[in-house]
Amino acid sequence: MKTTLVTGAAGTLAPFLIHHLLHEDDEQTFVCLGRRPDASETVRRRIAALCRGCAPRVRAPRFRFIVGDTGISIPYDGRVDSVWHFASDLRMDPSSAEAVLSANLAGTRTILDFCARNSATLYYLSTAYVCGTRSGTIAESDLLCGQSFRNAYEESKARSEELVGNWLVDHPGIVFRPSIVIGDTRTGVALSFQGLYRMIWGLWRLRDRVLHRGPLATVLPELVLPLPVALPCSSAETLLNVVGADYVTSLLVAIHRQPSALGRAFHVVNPSPPTLQELLDVTVRLMGVRGIKLVELGAAILEKVDVDLRRLNAWLGDQITVYFPYLWGRHPVFDMSNVRSVLGSVPAHPKLDETTLGRLYQYALDRNFSAV
């Protein structure tokens, strides 16, 4: 039996991987690290959301749950063959910058030490946005190229990857860089609602507040906002790399089984992402909200954009505006040459059309944007 330690097991992506491995590998046991004593219940509940029949399998002896913080230590001294490191402080607000940088670097150092002591293979979850504000084509071998970052989370993952890269010279492991992860494109299931979902939540909340009617998930007539809102961007045709959790998980599993993948980094991203305009067009149709437009940044409209953003912030709050930098900048193209070389080709991503996004948004609305 192989033993796998999973950090951040109660998070929003790790349960997808655990569920996948439960179906594919009967010879694997899991040690799940979580910060809270109720992590076992959270993992079981989230696995049930993905596959109700698998939830009863999340129990001893195949699963063991331990409480701990990777920023301090990992309180486990049993045998471990591999470690999937998902745990991370994801906060993007400026007030948390110092804490985020400290926590993610400390967590990475703890994991590297643990893997070295146990001769365990490391599967490290980073982010495609270690590229920061760079544009153009980003190679999987690129890391610190003098770029600036949108927030401390991006910087912390880039600095952490630097530590991991040095460690991989003498130890086995793989770095995975997902982009902006949404739910399962086949079922619509998502385990929490951050990133793109916060923007969707913002649209729905704005719609609800203007109409002053019913709960968020109530079906309401189409709304034309009384104030046109201009969202700034470098170009409406820039690509926003949104990727389904099902696609990410299948790539993680497929790549980690290939010995030739060891020592390398992989962009786990959408090979055919939508443009900002395409995504906005589909989203406003699905949400029934008109009156929001993308405006390409220029000196002449900066003042109006600032007014609109302050007005939008008054409606929606700071938890939305932390994501605006991902609209302003020109997004890069993430090269997937390492994926192609290891797997033979880059798998196609499900099209993010009205049907697929409708499924994803409806699940969020049905849950009132409340995490599983």
Side-chain angles (χ1 to χ4, degrees):
M1 298 287 285
K2 297 176 182 177
T3 300
T4 296
L5 175 75
V6 183
T7 73
T12 60
L13 186 56
F16 280 94
L17 176 81
I18 294 170
H19 170 243
H20 197 121
L21 294 177
L22 275 174
H23 277 276
E24 286 204 352
D25 192 347
D26 290 331
E27 298 297 317
Q28 187 156 204
T29 60
F30 298 91
V31 177
C32 297
L33 177 69
R35 290 183 177 182
R36 295 166 54 96
D38 62 352
S40 60
E41 289 306 312
T42 302
V43 173
R44 194 172 293 111
R45 184 174 66 251
R46 293 189 162 183
I47 294 292
L50 302 175
C51 176
R52 192 163 297 278
C54 283
R57 302 168 65 186
V58 183
R59 62 176 184 231
R62 194 165 182 190
F63 280 80
R64 178 173 177 179
F65 290 88
I66 56 177
V67 178
D69 185 339
T70 56
I72 302 171
S73 66
I74 299 176
Y76 182 73
D77 56 8
R79 184 178 68 86
V80 170
D81 299 288
S82 61
V83 173
W84 285 88
H85 183 46
F86 286 89
S88 190
D89 191 329
L90 303 172
R91 289 176 295 171
M92 296 182 183
D93 56 291
S95 63
S96 303
E98 186 175 342
V100 168
L101 194 61
S102 175
N104 289 341
L105 282 168
T108 298
R109 292 188 182 98
T110 299
I111 286 296
L112 295 179
D113 178 65
F114 180 86
C115 287
R117 287 187 286 106
N118 288 275
S119 299
T121 302
L122 171 64
Y123 302 115
Y124 186 84
L125 271 293
S126 183
T127 172
Y129 290 95
V130 291
C131 66
T133 57
R134 291 179 63 199
S135 59
T137 299
I138 308 297
E140 287 156 305
S141 58
D142 291 348
L143 185 55
L144 296 177
C145 303
Q147 71 268 39
S148 58
F149 299 97
R150 295 176 183 85
N151 48 62
Y153 170 70
E154 289 184 351
E155 182 178 1
S156 73
K157 299 305 283 187
R159 301 295 176 190
S160 295
E161 258 203 57
E162 184 179 32
L163 298 177
V164 174
N166 292 333
W167 186 87
L168 289 176
V169 173
D170 299 310
H171 303 87
I174 301 172
V175 173
F176 296 105
R177 295 176 182 165
S179 53
I180 302 169
V181 182
I182 52 178
D184 190 315
T185 61
R186 302 161 301 180
T187 64
V189 174
L191 303 179
S192 74
F193 303 99
Q194 301 300 321
L196 177 66
Y197 287 104
R198 299 314 294 170
M199 303 300 291
I200 306 309
W201 171 84
L203 283 178
W204 198 255
R205 183 180 178 209
L206 187 60
R207 185 180 195 265
D208 189 67
R209 289 189 64 175
V210 169
L211 291 173
H212 300 292
R213 290 177 57 186
L216 292 177
T218 302
V219 177
L220 299 171
E222 184 177 61
L223 167 70
V224 178
L225 294 181
L227 48 112
V229 175
L231 295 180
C233 65
S234 59
S235 168
E237 297 307 308
T238 196
L239 302 174
L240 186 65
N241 205 287
V242 180
V243 62
D246 50 314
Y247 184 86
V248 170
T249 305
S250 64
L251 278 190
L252 295 182
V253 172
I255 291 170
H256 101 286
R257 297 195 187 283
Q258 303 299 320
S260 61
L262 292 173
R264 303 163 77 177
F266 294 85
H267 282 148
V268 187
V269 301
N270 187 340
S272 302
T275 66
L276 285 176
Q277 190 66 61
E278 289 170 340
L279 194 59
L280 180 64
D281 288 346
V282 173
T283 298
V284 295
R285 283 200 303 272
L286 288 169
M287 293 292 104
V289 176
R290 291 191 286 122
I292 294 181
K293 60 183 179 179
L294 292 171
V295 177
E296 297 186 4
L297 282 174
I301 55 92
L302 281 175
E303 183 176 346
K304 171 165 174 36
V305 166
D306 183 60
V307 169
D308 276 347
L309 288 181
R310 282 189 278 109
R311 185 161 48 182
L312 189 62
N313 184 55
W315 279 90
L316 303 178
D318 294 335
Q319 56 184 311
I320 298 298
T321 56
V322 296
Y323 296 107
F324 283 165
Y326 290 92
L327 298 179
W328 294 337
R330 185 175 293 276
H331 283 248
V333 174
F334 298 109
D335 182 69
M336 300 179 76
S337 293
N338 284 354
V339 175
R340 185 176 293 105
S341 69
V342 167
L343 298 184
S345 64
V346 175
H349 188 281
K351 188 174 181 180
L352 295 177
D353 55 16
E354 206 155 321
T355 300
T356 302
L357 288 175
R359 187 182 301 126
L360 291 158
Y361 295 171
Q362 189 59 55
Y363 184 83
L365 292 170
D366 288 345
R367 288 200 57 83
N368 200 9
F369 296 90
S370 176
V372 174

